[in-house]
Amino acid sequence: MPSLQETRAVVTLAPAKPTGLADLGVPLVDTTMVKKGRAHEFPQLLTDGAIGRRFQDLRVIGIKTDEAGVVSAKFFIQFEVFGDNTAAPTNGVGFEAALFAGAEQLGALLSSSSLFLPYASFWYPNRFVFEVPVADFDRAERLEFIAKPEEVRIV
């Protein structure tokens, strides 16, 4: 059975204005802080070198805000994924992401066990949210997105 190779994309995070967050339901207060970053498009190759999956418009939005007197930090990871003539297994492996400050990895890996990719040859939007320690939000400079290897079926 063909397998996808591990693929990594780096997203640089920069301070941003707290605009365009309405669809995330963010409680906007005077102390709300936002970090954003984006990677436009990258393929995930099969072990034979052919493209097996495509990712596009990978957006990372970090938000530190106060809700009901509790300060929290969350990172939203959003992207579209396309099964490039490959069908994902029923129980896919998903992705991992790591936050970095310089060369230092902050905290544990952020992990999702599956992607929303029900059929091959079609773009599907995906959105995930991860809560992180406030100190990690404050120090985060980049996020490394890791599309994990997995077996797929050729369509």
Side-chain angles (χ1 to χ4, degrees), residues 1-16:
M1 190 173 264
S3 295
L4 294 165
Q5 297 179 38
E6 180 178 294
T7 302
R8 294 173 181 249
V10 176
V11 178
T12 301
L13 300 172

Side-chain angles (χ1 to χ4, degrees), residues 71-89:
V71 176
S72 67
K74 297 179 182 178
F75 277 91
F76 291 81
I77 299 175
Q78 304 173 114
F79 54 87
E80 292 182 4
V81 63
F82 182 82
D84 208 58
N85 297 322
T86 61

Side-chain angles (χ1 to χ4, degrees), residues 13-14 35 75 99-101 106 135-142:
L13 300 172
K35 292 183 179 185
F75 277 91
L99 292 169
F100 285 88
L106 305 173
D136 288 355
F137 172 90
D138 292 339
R139 295 184 58 213
E141 298 171 347
R142 73 185 193 311

Side-chain angles (χ1 to χ4, degrees), residues 21 24 26 32-34 61-65 72-74 76 137:
L21 304 176
L24 301 179
V26 178
T32 299
M33 295 180 69
V34 177
I61 303 168
I63 300 165
K64 180 171 81 171
T65 193
S72 67
K74 297 179 182 178
F76 291 81
F137 172 90

Side-chain angles (χ1 to χ4, degrees), residues 138-151:
D138 292 339
R139 295 184 58 213
E141 298 171 347
R142 73 185 193 311
L143 178 135
E144 189 170 86
F145 180 90
I146 307 158
K148 295 177 6 180
E150 72 177 317
E151 291 185 346

